[in-house]
Amino acid sequence: MRKALLFNPENDLALADGRACYTPPPAAVALARAGALLPMWWGDPGDVVMASDADCHGTESLGRDFGLKSVVGSAGDFAAVDGCEPWGWSHAALRRLAMAGVRSEVLPSAASMDDIRRISHRSVSVSLLTRLGVSDDSLPVEARSREEALQAIGRFGGNAFIKLPWSSSGRGVFDVRRLNRSTLLRYVDGFIRRQGSVMVERSRNKVSDFAMLFRCAGGKAVFEALSGFHTDAGGRYLGNMIASDEAIVNHLGIDPRGWADPLAGAISSVIAPYYDGWVGVDMMTECETSGARLGIVPCVEANVRMTMGVVARYVYNRLGRNMLLSVKTDSQLPAGSVDLSPVASSPGMRFVASPMAGSE
């Protein structure tokens, strides 16, 4: 099966917008250009990547150095594909693939894009947690008015985060404890005006971020791998561990894989009936009040798309050594680094796998 591959990291923003004719902001465009060749790491021989002609030379080095076999495609190539695998699905992604020449019978329906938009909303975490048996007093709250948001924040004793329903990489996430009241009200009102509601979640004594990666097909979700990642104090994404499941478990200090089957069942009920592809469930380890024991928060949010954790796993399978995946903006790369998407159109930003302490 020959597939069209597309790195469209702006897709969460496109889902929030909801329209087919969505224009992403310049920063999102720059990120997409920098990672245009990333799909080569998961592409099969014969797959075609949507990227500019100027970036074709990057496929040569990736093919030569790492044995990656997919290529940058032309219009004729896309007309011949049997399937599509974008980073994420939305009405905008559907339109872009159609305009590239992908035949209509190969593309999913517009109605399915509405389903994907719905299950990509952050409130889907409430459905997953409920199916996992999590108690009501710790469940996130979707607030559709300022009053509901303030009530939910009060319910959590002021120890809460507010989040945009559709956003990614930690953007649109704010710690209420760091906001004065006027800023909090401005953010809450703005979130509700822009996206119809705001998610309010109880803050945790977080120790580490990680995720479980699942693949949905035929109405069923299957656990595939763990993902370890890093964020800053505000929750913004910094980078991913390129490592085995065992190395990630050692990093976490606790094995979360007992949640794999329960989560697969919950995803099979809530997400898989409407979607085929990757799902990354963000989780965290937290320290109990005594500070003596780690616990696991089994679902912070579900990303109904590919994730950088998926990329990290594909890269690990190729390189076979522990590294760090991140976006670099400096001109000099650390010794031993790998430019994962060597494109000419984005010289100032690069997706890089860099050595980390203890890597082999």
Side-chain angles (χ1 to χ4, degrees):
M1 179 174 170
R2 195 180 190 200
K3 303 184 298 295
L5 307 178
L6 170 64
F7 180 59
N8 56 323
E10 77 283 358
N11 197 64
D12 290 325
L13 301 176
L15 285 170
D17 182 84
R19 297 173 296 177
C21 297
Y22 168 71
T23 301
V29 172
L31 189 67
R33 287 175 177 166
L37 298 185
L38 283 179
M40 289 190 66
W41 288 91
W42 58 86
D44 296 318
D47 287 350
V48 289
V49 178
M50 289 184 63
S52 69
D53 292 340
D55 299 325
C56 287
H57 78 282
T59 65
E60 298 176 5
S61 62
L62 291 174
R64 179 184 64 249
D65 297 339
F66 306 107
L68 310 186
K69 301 299 184 182
S70 50
V71 298
V72 173
S74 62
D77 293 317
F78 294 116
V81 300
D82 305 302
C84 299
E85 192 170 330
W87 182 262
W89 280 109
S90 61
H91 285 287
L94 186 66
R95 178 176 182 268
R96 185 172 173 185
L97 287 161
M99 292 181 66
V102 178
R103 292 169 289 130
S104 60
E105 59 266 29
V106 172
L107 292 168
S109 67
S112 67
M113 297 301 100
D114 292 332
D115 286 331
I116 289 173
R117 185 175 190 265
R118 174 178 55 80
I119 59 177
S120 298
H121 192 286
R122 273 198 166 103
S123 63
V124 78
S125 64
V126 179
S127 298
L128 294 175
L129 286 165
T130 300
R131 281 166 173 77
L132 294 173
V134 174
S135 60
D136 289 344
D137 62 353
S138 64
L139 288 174
V141 175
E142 182 183 7
R144 295 179 174 82
S145 69
R146 174 192 286 191
E147 292 71 24
E148 289 180 1
L150 293 177
Q151 183 179 24
I153 292 168
R155 168 181 161 186
F156 295 134
N159 297 316
F161 282 83
I162 56 171
K163 300 183 177 183
L164 275 167
W166 290 283
S167 65
S168 64
S169 301
R171 292 171 176 81
V173 177
F174 297 92
D175 188 339
V176 170
R177 295 167 296 186
R178 300 186 178 196
L179 304 176
N180 60 45
R181 184 172 176 81
S182 63
T183 302
L184 170 63
L185 295 179
R186 177 164 55 86
Y187 283 1
V188 166
D189 292 345
F191 286 10
I192 294 171
R193 182 176 64 255
R194 289 160 56 191
Q195 296 192 11
S197 63
V198 59
M199 296 301 299
V200 182
E201 299 179 13
R202 179 166 67 88
S203 60
R204 306 277 189 164
N205 297 317
K206 184 178 74 172
V207 177
S208 297
D209 291 298
F210 71 99
M212 283 188 166
L213 307 175
F214 298 84
R215 196 77 189 255
C216 294
K220 183 178 180 181
V222 176
F223 171 69
E224 295 286 349
L226 294 176
S227 164
F229 61 96
H230 307 289
T231 60
D232 64 16
R236 290 178 179 264
Y237 173 82
L238 296 177
N240 252 89
M241 296 176 65
I242 298 173
S244 66
D245 280 1
E246 289 69 27
I248 293 172
V249 169
N250 288 337
H251 166 74
L252 295 175
I254 188 172
D255 192 338
R257 288 174 289 189
W259 285 102
D261 286 345
L263 268 169
I267 295 168
S268 295
S269 297
V270 176
I271 294 173
Y274 311 99
Y275 168 76
D276 287 347
W278 287 98
V279 174
V281 179
D282 287 352
M283 307 165 72
M284 68 174 67
T285 60
E286 65 174 347
C287 195
E288 294 185 353
T289 305
S290 64
R293 181 182 172 189
L294 283 176
I296 292 175
V297 180
C299 177
V300 177
E301 64 186 55
N303 298 296
V304 185
R305 53 171 170 78
M306 292 196 72
T307 69
M308 294 311 297
V310 176
V311 178
R313 182 47 55 105
Y314 277 117
V315 173
Y316 177 79
N317 290 344
R318 291 281 183 175
L319 302 183
R321 61 184 186 272
N322 295 339
M323 303 185 79
L324 290 172
L325 188 161
S326 60
V327 179
K328 299 287 188 183
T329 56
D330 47 335
S331 58
Q332 296 297 320
L333 298 182
S337 296
V338 176
D339 190 343
L340 300 174
S341 178
V343 298
S345 61
S346 183
M349 183 184 296
R350 286 182 280 187
F351 284 86
V352 176
S354 304
M356 64 178 178
S359 62
E360 299 178 357

